[in-house]
Structures are given as C-alpha cells and as structure tokens.
Amino acid sequence: MRQRSLIAITAALAAGALTLTACGSRDDDGGGSDSGNGGTTVVIGVDAPLTGDLSALGLGIKNSADLAAKTANKEKYVEGITFKIEALDDQGQASVGQQNATKLVANDDVLGVVGPLNSSVGESMQKVFDQAKLVEVSPANTNPALTQGVKWQTEKVRPYKSYFRTATTDAVQGPFAAQYVFNDAKKKKVFVIDDKKTYGAGLAATFTDEFKKLGGKVVGTEHINPDSKDFNAVATKVKNSGADVVYYGGEYPQAGPLSKQIKEAGAKIPLVGGDGIYSGDFIKLAGAAGTGDLATSVGAPVEELPSAKEFVANYKAAGYKEAFEAYGGYSYDSTWAIIEAVKKVVEDNDGKLPDDARAKVVDAMQNVSFDGVTGKVAFDEFGDATNKQLTVYSVKDGDWATVKSGTFTG
C-alpha cells in the first residue's frame, strides 16, 4: 500500500463521507457501467462465509475489501472509475461458493473477485471464473493444488490462469509448523488429526511429512467429522497414545472444543494448528484449556508491521463492527491488487475500460507489484504470493501472542 494521506482518509472514513456511485447499465460486456456522472462503476465481488461458524473470518475479509474500495474512491486512484463491493455469503460451503461464482460472472460490471476463505470453496469456483476470464484473488486459500495442480509435489502445473492469492501455501505453512514443533518446542511424538476437508487434510499432510523428516514420530492419526462438536473418543485416543503434542488440520469451530476435550481427557499437551484456527473465536471455544496452544498464520503480525499502521488506523476509524481478523490485511491487499490491475488496463486504453476488460485485468494481474499492508505484493508464475513469511502464535493470557516469525527453510 502506497503511503497515503492518513489524516485525510481517516477523517473521511470516520465522518462517513465516502459514498459509492450508483450502478447504472451498459450494453457491452466490457465490465463497468455508466455511473450517471460521467464516470464508470466497477464492481469487485467478495465471496466469504458471512454467516455461520466461520463468519468472524469472513466478515473481516468483507470489511477489509470494502475499506480498500472506499480508499481508492476517496483518492480517485483510478481516474473516472468508482469501485463498488458486492459481497456474497458462501457459508463455508463449496456448492454455495460455486453458485456465487456463477452469479458474479453474470454481472458484467464485476471485474474481479476477492475470496474465498476456504480452499474447498476456492476449488469449486476456479473453473467458473476462469471460463469467464474473471480474475479471482484469495486472501486465505492455502492448499497448494489450487495454483500448482494436484500433482504439485512432483510436477507443478498451473491449472487456472485467472486464480491468484496473497496468502502463502500449506507447502510452506505445514513444514514451517513442523520445524517449530520439533526444533523449538522440542516435541517428538505427535498425534495428527484433520477434518477431511481440502484445507485441513492438505495441511496435516505437509506437516506430517516434514515432522517425520526431522525425526519425529507420528503416534496416531484420526479424522473427525467437522459437523460434530463431540470429540471425546478422539481425545481418549490422544491420551492413550503417549503423544506430547497434537497437530490439527482444520478450522477453529472444531479446534476449540477439540483442544478442550483433549485436556479434559487427561492429555495436558498443546494443540497446534494452522491459520484456520488463528482467531479470537478459537480462544473463546477452547476456554482456559487453550492456554499454550499454538497456531501458525500467513505473513507477519499485521499489528506489528510498519506498512500496516495506516490500514489498522483506517479500519478502526471506519467503524466496522467486526475485527479484521487473520486475513484483513491480505483481503485489503487482494482488493488493491485488483484495483491496480484495473488501473493498468484503463491507462493502457486511453483512460477507459476496453470491451474485453475482464481478460485484460487477468493479464495485468500477473505483473501487479506494490507495497501493501502485508509487505511487498506480487505473484509468481503460478499466481502464488511471492511473500512466503509465516508466524507462530501461542495462546497466552486469553489472547494470541507472537512467538516466532520467519520463512520455511526446506
């Protein structure tokens, strides 16, 4: 994010002075509509779980995308263009995400989409967007197969040209966690649990591979039903296994109760997970039993990054009811990447959108590069973020505390 006028933006946001131009109609399919005041409205779609168990993360994504659009409008960052957010609720369900993708494609004014949160949902949306040449930038998907193909461990092949992400992948996150657990936390015997979903199973697999390479022992594995909250049978298995740590591939609605029940079963050992459990709601669900549990998350702590100070201040001033959570900075940067791509396309076409704006935005995204909230934002040949930094957090005094930041050294 370029350093902008913090005082001006913050004041405008606080006063509620930022307005979005009403969307009109346009006959061609180039994207954007006549706003009625000589300008053009471009819609940026947002797909995330806005209701249900994962809504804390999803609402943080939506709000942060909204802040980016409002900031661009306030600055008149793309001359003649007003950005508008259209947020759809996928409820964390792949089938709903696919329906949302079809709906966003049908709106000619949509030139880019931010989201989704879940890798399984992202998997269901990719083909729909790619066939429509509509760019998608996820702030949270971490499964490697989405950008590098299902055989990514042996042969990396990019499946979809229109898909990008600002979050690093589980090919990095899982091994990074394993190195911390084995080398720093000195845990040698792990019980691995996952929720059988694309994200959770993939993350658990990459953690397990690295943990074994380091010399650690997997003393048990289990898959849970993500619709359940009763994990007592699994907790008993953990207790009887002699594990000194549990690794969980999944998300906080299950991880919180799982951690609590493992401790209640008599296994006073930490639960470790990925960015899917890095939420204040995990701490609420785990209660006192969560103290000492660990999570890795993409990037460095936003609150501690000099590049994020303006974002944090503006988010607060905007008065959003929900916290920006783990993916707020990445959502802002995903939205800003779309804004940058639109800017490039408009500038290359004498100040207006071309008829094939969607395809041009996809092409422009590949070369987008800017200083964002989360650091340098750019994409490699697979559409993956070039920023590979990760952080380990621990639950301490009822909050997440930073333990270690760095990159995976494989």
Side-chain angles (χ1 to χ4, degrees):
M1 180 172 63
R2 291 180 175 82
Q3 292 302 309
R4 308 178 178 93
S5 173
L6 173 60
I7 297 174
I9 297 171
T10 303
L13 286 168
L18 299 177
T19 57
L20 293 172
T21 309
C23 187
S25 61
R26 189 159 136 175
D27 294 332
D28 69 316
D29 61 357
S33 60
D34 186 347
S35 66
N37 63 355
T40 300
T41 295
V42 166
V43 176
I44 297 175
V46 175
D47 178 87
L50 305 180
T51 59
D53 286 346
L54 295 169
S55 61
L57 297 177
L59 291 166
I61 290 172
K62 183 196 79 166
N63 294 343
S64 301
D66 180 69
L67 179 61
K70 287 180 175 178
T71 301
N73 292 340
K74 174 63 180 175
E75 294 182 357
K76 295 181 171 56
Y77 192 69
V78 184
E79 193 65 37
I81 299 291
T82 297
F83 292 97
K84 178 183 176 182
I85 294 296
E86 180 181 348
L88 300 181
D89 180 13
D90 64 30
Q91 302 166 39
Q93 301 296 320
S95 58
V96 180
Q98 192 171 61
Q99 292 167 14
N100 289 349
T102 301
K103 182 177 180 180
L104 290 166
V105 164
N107 181 351
D108 290 339
D109 294 341
V110 177
L111 289 190
V113 178
V114 174
L117 168 69
N118 305 83
S119 290
S120 55
V121 178
E123 197 173 36
S124 76
M125 304 174 89
Q126 286 180 303
K127 187 175 181 179
V128 178
F129 288 137
D130 203 64
Q131 289 178 335
K133 296 182 173 64
L134 180 59
V135 79
E136 172 187 13
V137 189
S138 173
N141 291 169
T142 54
N143 187 277
L146 297 178
T147 47
Q148 299 173 22
V150 292
K151 298 180 180 178
W152 63 270
Q153 289 172 305
T154 56
E155 182 186 6
K156 292 180 174 61
V157 178
R158 185 175 186 178
Y160 298 106
K161 181 183 176 184
S162 64
Y163 179 88
F164 298 80
R165 53 178 153 201
T166 53
T168 195
T169 76
D170 294 334
V172 179
Q173 183 175 201
F176 179 75
Q179 289 188 354
Y180 179 82
V181 170
F182 188 86
N183 295 326
D184 297 79
K186 307 297 183 186
K187 305 296 184 183
K188 310 302 181 186
K189 295 184 292 182
V190 66
F191 195 107
V192 180
I193 304 169
D194 71 65
D195 62 1
K196 299 182 286 188
K197 290 159 68 175
T198 302
Y199 162 73
L203 181 60
T206 58
F207 170 90
T208 299
D209 288 347
E210 181 67 16
F211 194 75
K212 286 180 177 178
K213 286 179 186 176
L214 293 168
K217 184 178 180 182
V218 178
V219 296
T221 60
E222 191 63 73
H223 308 287
I224 64 162
N225 178 359
D227 295 325
S228 176
K229 292 293 187 293
D230 181 1
F231 308 119
N232 284 305
V234 178
T236 299
K237 288 182 180 179
V238 171
K239 170 67 169 62
N240 294 337
S241 72
D244 54 13
V245 64
V246 172
Y247 189 82
Y248 176 65
E251 295 149 334
Y252 66 81
Q254 296 75 37
L258 178 61
S259 174
K260 189 174 185 179
Q261 290 168 39
I262 286 171
K263 272 77 163 183
E264 288 173 347
K268 307 299 184 183
I269 58 178
L271 180 142
V272 183
D275 53 318
I277 80 166
Y278 178 56
S279 167
D281 281 22
F282 168 83
I283 298 172
K284 293 176 187 175
L285 291 167
T291 299
D293 285 348
L294 300 162
T296 53
S297 192
V298 294
V302 167
E303 294 86 351
E304 297 174 17
L305 286 171
S307 59
K309 287 182 179 178
E310 189 176 349
F311 164 74
V312 173
N314 287 343
Y315 192 96
K316 183 178 180 180
Y320 296 112
K321 294 179 181 178
E322 304 86 12
F324 53 78
E325 285 279 353
Y327 305 107
Y330 293 92
S331 303
Y332 189 104
D333 285 347
S334 294
T335 311
W336 202 263
I338 294 171
I339 291 167
E340 290 281 3
V342 171
K343 181 180 176 71
K344 171 67 173 168
V345 169
V346 168
E347 289 176 347
D348 287 352
N349 194 53
D350 299 323
K352 59 184 186 298
L353 287 172
D355 290 343
D356 60 344
R358 282 183 174 176
K360 287 287 200 305
V361 168
V362 171
D363 291 338
M365 185 63 70
Q366 190 62 55
N367 297 313
V368 160
S369 180
F370 62 97
D371 294 324
V373 170
T374 59
K376 187 72 173 180
V377 177
F379 306 100
D380 65 16
E381 68 270 31
F382 300 103
D384 281 327
T386 55
N387 183 352
K388 309 293 186 186
Q389 190 169 24
L390 290 140
T391 301
V392 178
Y393 299 88
S394 176
V395 178
K396 183 180 180 181
D397 298 327
D399 203 355
W400 289 107
T402 302
V403 176
K404 183 178 183 178
S405 290
T407 55
F408 167 60
T409 53

